[in-house]
Amino acid sequence: MSDAINPTGRLLYGYPPGASGSKLANALLPLVTAQGGPRYILTNLEGRSTRTASIAAVKAIPDGTVLLQAISASLTLMPSLHSDVGFDPLHDLKPIASLGDFPYLMVVGPVVPKTVTNLAKYLVWVNDNPDFRSIGISINGSIGQLAVAALANSTGASLSSVSYQGTEDLLNDLRSETLAAAFVVPNPGISPRLEAPIRPIGTTSAQRFTYWPEVVPLAEQGISSMDLTAWFGWFTQGATPESALTTLRTAVIRMQASAQYSDVMKALMLVARPLTPEKMTARMHEEFDRYRNAVERLGIPKIE
């Protein structure tokens, strides 16, 4: 198929190469093309807690050749944490596909004794080791930031979040024992086995994690308000005419019905939840309102 029929576009993503989302994009983009869709290449555009990528996507020509991949919180939580994110997620972006749900995992690294197997034991340990009160998060504006604030509010523990640009440096600090705990996206570098160097002690979702049901949700460990999940999504400019998206939308639907798509979901520990664009928009509205209320209740100050 020639480029004139199947042109190359770009998929912008605000996290670094090697992150779970980058692996997702690199796995799915060839499947879209294989289903007769346009060809896109992944462009990692880091900066400003993913806002650089989001703003670049919003400002692109609305013809369907530039897409944005986002973790949901970048669009539905971040506006409640910043005075101005530089774009309106509900107006400036048009949903294309929801690409898998996941909870965040509260993990501990090798500096934490193996006897620490749950939240209660972690809180006792961190009280005795106050130099490790900082909990790592991938970026400011993520579900991890909200989870740390909720944890501190519910337990009264003196905990704070420390932000990284992506997950790899965070995992390295856990491994090197300069960081004790973090909230992270599920990934193959983590294991629920007790002997694993980085192991989960809870999840942010109220429901058990499909792939590791033995990991007890933090909601079951006394943090009753903790029910936070995230999802990956593809978007394009809100002004893009539907006529420019017909081929892409058809290919995405076919891709999500394929066995290869299911294999990618399993490999990255994502729970497939394909939604129509209308249902994606409704979900974003619901999350926007819920996160705004949570940020106000927890007293998280806005970033100017």
Side-chain angles (χ1 to χ4, degrees), residues 176-303:
S176 66
E177 302 190 6
T178 57
L179 183 70
F183 280 98
V184 299
V185 174
N187 69 78
I190 301 166
S191 171
R193 294 180 296 107
L194 185 60
E195 63 271 22
I198 302 175
R199 63 191 192 280
I201 60 170
T203 68
T204 61
S205 59
Q207 301 297 318
R208 296 274 175 142
F209 183 37
T210 299
Y211 296 96
W212 294 337
E214 68 272 32
V215 180
V216 181
L218 294 171
E220 293 183 30
Q221 299 187 55
I223 315 301
S224 59
S225 63
M226 186 74 77
D227 187 13
L228 302 170
T229 57
W231 45 279
F232 289 103
W234 285 351
F235 301 83
T236 193
Q237 301 75 30
T240 305
E242 280 299 315
S243 59
L245 301 173
T246 302
T247 301
L248 172 60
R249 290 199 186 281
T250 300
V252 165
I253 291 171
R254 290 173 177 167
M255 174 193 71
Q256 290 184 314
S258 70
Q260 294 94 328
Y261 181 77
S262 296
D263 291 341
V264 172
M265 294 292 103
K266 291 175 183 176
L268 295 175
M269 291 186 286
L270 298 172
V271 178
R273 189 184 177 188
L275 298 175
T276 64
E278 293 76 18
K279 288 185 177 180
M280 286 179 68
T281 298
R283 187 179 191 184
M284 290 173 67
H285 276 283
E286 186 276 329
E287 289 186 2
F288 186 90
D289 291 341
R290 179 157 50 90
Y291 292 150
R292 180 185 58 207
N293 292 335
V295 167
E296 291 176 356
R297 175 175 55 84
L298 295 170
I300 303 174
K302 282 184 177 289
I303 301 170

Side-chain angles (χ1 to χ4, degrees), residues 25 38 76 81 87 102 122 130 140 162 177 196 219 227 246:
T76 59
L81 295 171
F87 65 102
F102 57 93
Y122 165 78
N140 283 322
V162 55
E177 302 190 6
D227 187 13
T246 302

